[in-house]
Structure formats: structure tokens, C-alpha cells
């Protein structure tokens, strides 16, 4: 690359396989022509271990025009251009960054970098929302929920960052981190208290479909249980029905955990009433009724009938039922009248960091 550069052009190695060239010209067309020449000249054919190999180049170009004064933009644009050029597929590409065409992609790329950095630096935290027994209003468990404590921002909720986490390809790694931290929180704080049954509160953790696609997931969870000196029955794994019905490997992973003693809850249950026909085929211990059944301040007659039917089916299958999203005393009372025993929602507490759990437990078990 240095041999191709002219006197006014500066060449630098940016990383193991990335090089940069800084050049100037009288027109954008002249710069693009020069950049394409670099890309063309750097590709070549050779023999590796007796086989013909084609060595290609992915090149990204960014141009700072005379009306654009922010030099920092040039570096960011060039980084985006090479990122696009190296995208999966044909890596022998040349991409010219365009603020109009690629601006949204650049923002997405920055967000992907942000979530990757957040994972490495520990900005993703486990918050705990209590699960209560009625009518006593005493805690029996906690749902572990992830929050992003992003510097310079208010606490970020999952709906606002999980799509980026998936796009960045770190959902499995984040899931492992949440599981490990949730169980450590149970060991260090939650397990020190006893519920009305005399047992420590359990902790429930949501599991994503991509985690269950990992053949080692069940063994990872079992190892985490053992590391944290936890009785498996104090852990509940929450999954969605679609994940289990449509994925044989996911169902196999869940069966391994169920056989080990981990409790399995079907999350968002009832959002499709045809779910009822599938329950008896799955290795479950609990159903979590979707918050959409409750409405704002009261439960419709239709939804009351559905909840009543779910309770009957659950009882016949020896399954526990938890109703999510309880926010008002009126809704709580109606659930008590229907025979609901376990609930969670803002009426009792929002999800809280572990540092607040101990004080909350002292007053609510």
C-alpha cells in the first residue's frame, strides 16, 4: 500500500487487517477514482498449499467536502464505509459513504458498538421485581429483569435496546451474563430470607430463543446453579410457547433443566387462546398470564371468564398461575375473587436493583 501511495498521501495501519489512506484532491470524482485504484491494485492471485487462491480487498471511502468542517466526521464515515464493505456476502466490495444513504445505518452501528461496550463494561444490570402471594401480599419470588444503566442517560428498558442486542449478535452472551448475575444476587441477598412457606424466595429468569439454540445452554444453567450453591427448585426459567413448539432443540434443553429440578414457566400465556391445547405437552410448572388480560382499571367479563378457565386447566395439570401487570387495588381484589394466588406488578413494586432488594424484603416477607 505504501508503494502505491503518492507523496501527499498518508498511509497507516489501523488494525490487523485494516489500513487507511488519507488523501486530498480537487474533486470527489478524482478521490473516488484514486481509491478504486488502490482497491484494484491490492487484489491478487496466489497459490496456498498447492491451491489457487484469490486475495480480494474490501474498501470503504469517505469524503469530506469543502463545506464540511467537522474532521471527526471523516473518521466515523470511513469506519462506516469499511464496515459496510465487509458485510456478509461478497466481501470484495467498494463502498462510498453517503450521509443521506447511510446515516441511519451509522446510527445503528453506533448503537451496536454501545451495547457491545455496555456488555464488556458491566452496564447491563439485573433488577428484581417481586412476585407476591395473595391475599397476604407477601413476596414469594422475584423476576430478574435486565436494565441498561447507560452513562449519560436514564435507565434504559429492554424494549429500547434488545433489538440492537440481537442485531449486534450478543444476545446469547448477554443472556449468560443475566443468568449468572441473577443467581449471584439470589445467593448473596435473596436466599437469606424466608417466605410464608419457610423457603427462600425463588428467582425467575427470562430465556431468549437464541439462547435455547445453543446446545450447551442447559449445562451452562446447571453449572451456574452449582456455582451459586442453589437448589434447582429455587430457579424458574421463563420461556414463550412459540419457542418450545417450533424448536426441537429448545424443547430438549428445557426438558434437561426440568429433569434436573428447575421450574419452567410459560410466559405471556393467554395472548393467544389456542395456547391452552398445547400446555399438557410441555414440561411446565407455571403459567404467567399476560398483562393484556387486565385492562387499565378493571377486567372485562370476557377476560375474567378466560382467567377462570386458565385457572381450572392449570389446576388439572398441577400448574401454578402467576398474573402479571397488576397495578390497582380493584384489579387485585377481582383476581382474589377469581382465585388467583400469585401476582406481580407496579401495585407491589417496580423492578429494583439488588441494593434495594434487602430493605424491601425486610418489610415484605
Amino acid at each position: 500500500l505504501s508503494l502505491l501511495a503518492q507523496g501527499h498521501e498518508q498511509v497507516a495501519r489501523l488494525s490487523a487487517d485494516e489500513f487507511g489512506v488519507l488523501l486530498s484532491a480537487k474533486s470527489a470524482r478524482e478521490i473516488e477514482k484514486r481509491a478504486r485504484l488502490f482497491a484494484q491494485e491490492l487484489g491478487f492471485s496466489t497459490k496456498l498449499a498447492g491451491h489457487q487462491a484469490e486475495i480480494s480487498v474490501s474498501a470503504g471511502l469517505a469524503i469530506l467536502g469543502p463545506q464540511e468542517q467537522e474532521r471527526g466526521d471523516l473518521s466515523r464515515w470511513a469506519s462506516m464505509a469499511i464496515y459496510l464493505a465487509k458485510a456478509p456476502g461478497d466481501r470484495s466490495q467498494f463502498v462510498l459513504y453517503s450521509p443521506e444513504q447511510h446515516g441511519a445505518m451509522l446510527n445503528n452501528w453506533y448503537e451496536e458498538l454501545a451495547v457491545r461496550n455496555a456488555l464488556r463494561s458491566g452496564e447491563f444490570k439485573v433488577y428484581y421485581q417481586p412476585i407476591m402471594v395473595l391475599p397476604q401480599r407477601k413476596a414469594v419470588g422475584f423476576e430478574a429483569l435486565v436494565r441498561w444503566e447507560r452513562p449519560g442517560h436514564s435507565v434504559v428498558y429492554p424494549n429500547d435496546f434488545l433489538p440492537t442486542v440481537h442485531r449486534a449478535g450478543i444476545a446469547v452472551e448477554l443472556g449468560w451474563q443475566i443468568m449468572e448475575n441473577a443467581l449471584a444476587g439470589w445467593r448473596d441477598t435473596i436466599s437469606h430470607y424466608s417466605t410464608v412457606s419457610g423457603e427462600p424466595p425463588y428467582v425467575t429468569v427470562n430465556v431468549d430463543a437464541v439462547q435455547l439454540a445453543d446446545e450447551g445452554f442447559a449445562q451452562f444453567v446447571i453449572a451456574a446453579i452449582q456455582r451459586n450453591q442453589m437448589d434447582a427448585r429455587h430457579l424458574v426459567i421463563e420461556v414463550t410457547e412459540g419457542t418450545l413448539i417450533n424448536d426441537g432443540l429448545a424443547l430438549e434443553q428445557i426438558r434437561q433443566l426440568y429433569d434436573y429440578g428447575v421450574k419452567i414457566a410459560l410466559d405471556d400465556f393467554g395472548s393467544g387462546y389456542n395456547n391452552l391445547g398445547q400446555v399438557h405437552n410441555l414440561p411446565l410448572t407455571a403459567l404467567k398470564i399476560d398483562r393484556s388480560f387486565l385492562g387499565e382499571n378493571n377486567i372485562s367479563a370476557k377476560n375474567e371468564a378466560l382467567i377462570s378457565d386458565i385457572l381450572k386447566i392449570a389446576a388439572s395439570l398441577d400448574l401454578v398461575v402467576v398474573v402479571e401487570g397488576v397495578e390497582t387495588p380493584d384489579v387485585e381484589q377481582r383476581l382474589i375473587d377469581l382465585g388467583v394466588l400469585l401476582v406481580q406488578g407496579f401495585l407491589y413494586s417496580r423492578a429494583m436493583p439488588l441494593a434495594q432488594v434487602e430493605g424491601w424484603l425486610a418489610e415484605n416477607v
Side-chain angles (χ1 to χ4, degrees):
L1 189 59
S2 297
L3 295 176
L4 294 173
Q6 297 176 352
H8 66 285
E9 297 169 348
Q10 300 177 46
V11 178
R13 185 171 188 169
L14 305 178
S15 65
D17 64 345
E18 286 188 5
F19 299 84
V21 181
L22 182 64
L23 54 90
S24 60
K26 294 180 180 179
S27 68
R29 183 176 181 181
E30 184 180 337
I31 292 176
E32 183 175 349
K33 181 179 179 181
R34 184 77 180 130
R36 288 186 181 277
L37 176 64
F38 278 117
Q40 179 181 339
E41 291 295 324
L42 290 172
F44 63 94
S45 300
T46 188
K47 281 193 174 182
L48 295 175
H51 299 282
Q52 192 70 21
E54 296 294 328
I55 309 302
S56 62
V57 174
S58 298
L61 172 64
I63 300 175
L64 191 67
Q67 306 303 319
E68 296 157 322
Q69 302 298 320
E70 296 296 330
R71 292 180 178 270
D73 286 343
L74 184 61
S75 175
R76 290 191 290 270
W77 294 350
S79 295
M80 184 63 191
I82 192 63
Y83 171 78
L84 293 171
K86 293 168 67 175
D90 180 11
R91 291 171 62 90
S92 180
Q93 296 187 55
F94 182 95
V95 174
L96 171 60
Y97 177 81
S98 163
E100 294 76 18
Q101 182 180 355
H102 300 133
M105 291 182 184
L106 185 61
N107 290 335
N108 287 340
W109 183 55
Y110 284 147
E111 288 301 297
E112 288 182 27
L113 289 177
V115 295
R116 289 179 184 277
N117 290 334
L119 185 66
R120 288 194 296 266
S121 61
E123 294 172 15
F124 291 116
K125 305 292 185 181
V126 174
Y127 280 44
Y128 299 83
Q129 185 176 40
I131 298 168
M132 312 293 284
V133 63
L134 296 178
Q136 297 96 325
R137 280 197 180 186
K138 297 294 184 180
V140 294
F142 287 88
E143 181 175 0
L145 300 165
V146 62
R147 300 289 186 262
W148 182 6
E149 294 183 355
R150 188 175 187 178
H153 296 72
S154 56
V155 173
V156 186
Y157 289 83
N159 286 346
D160 294 323
F161 64 79
L162 285 183
T164 306
V165 164
H166 281 274
R167 197 167 58 242
I170 60 170
V172 172
E173 191 175 354
L174 176 59
W176 288 344
Q177 190 178 98
I178 294 167
M179 180 69 68
E180 190 66 56
N181 291 344
L183 269 56
W186 179 90
R187 178 198 65 212
D188 295 340
T189 300
I190 296 171
S191 65
H192 299 168
Y193 291 81
S194 296
T195 66
V196 291
S197 67
E199 295 281 341
Y202 60 83
V203 64
T204 174
V205 181
N206 292 275
V207 172
D208 193 279
V210 295
Q211 293 175 261
L212 291 169
D214 183 343
E215 293 182 354
F217 174 75
Q219 290 306 311
F220 170 85
V221 174
I222 291 170
I225 290 170
Q226 294 171 348
R227 279 194 301 274
N228 289 284
Q229 302 176 330
M230 185 185 210
D231 189 317
R233 61 197 174 90
H234 294 140
L235 172 62
V236 180
I237 296 291
E238 291 191 22
V239 294
T240 60
E241 182 199 24
T243 298
L244 299 185
I245 294 299
N246 301 321
D247 191 325
L249 176 59
L251 183 56
E252 178 185 339
Q253 300 278 331
I254 288 300
R255 287 194 186 280
Q256 287 184 45
L257 293 171
Y258 180 84
D259 292 341
Y260 186 72
V262 175
K263 295 178 180 178
I264 310 298
L266 197 62
D267 197 17
D268 299 331
F269 185 77
S271 53
Y273 195 51
N274 57 348
N275 293 352
L276 293 170
Q278 301 288 351
V279 172
H280 69 282
N281 294 321
L282 301 175
L284 300 174
T285 49
L287 305 176
K288 298 196 75 173
I289 295 181
D290 187 71
R291 66 184 63 240
S292 62
F293 273 56
L294 304 186
E296 291 295 329
N297 295 307
N298 54 27
I299 309 172
S300 69
K302 176 183 177 181
N303 284 344
E304 284 190 1
L306 291 176
I307 292 172
S308 181
D309 286 346
I310 292 171
L311 289 170
K312 291 174 185 176
I313 292 173
S316 69
L317 297 173
D318 197 25
L319 300 177
V320 172
V321 173
V322 181
V323 177
E324 299 179 289
V326 180
E327 297 185 4
T328 67
D330 289 344
V331 167
E332 178 194 57
Q333 184 57 55
R334 194 66 197 114
L335 291 174
I336 292 173
D337 295 341
L338 289 170
V340 173
L341 296 178
L342 297 177
V343 291
Q344 68 183 96
F346 293 165
L347 178 62
Y348 314 104
S349 175
R350 293 180 178 270
M352 68 192 94
L354 186 62
Q356 297 177 17
V357 169
E358 187 169 10
W360 190 93
L361 271 170
E363 298 178 0
N364 292 278
V365 293

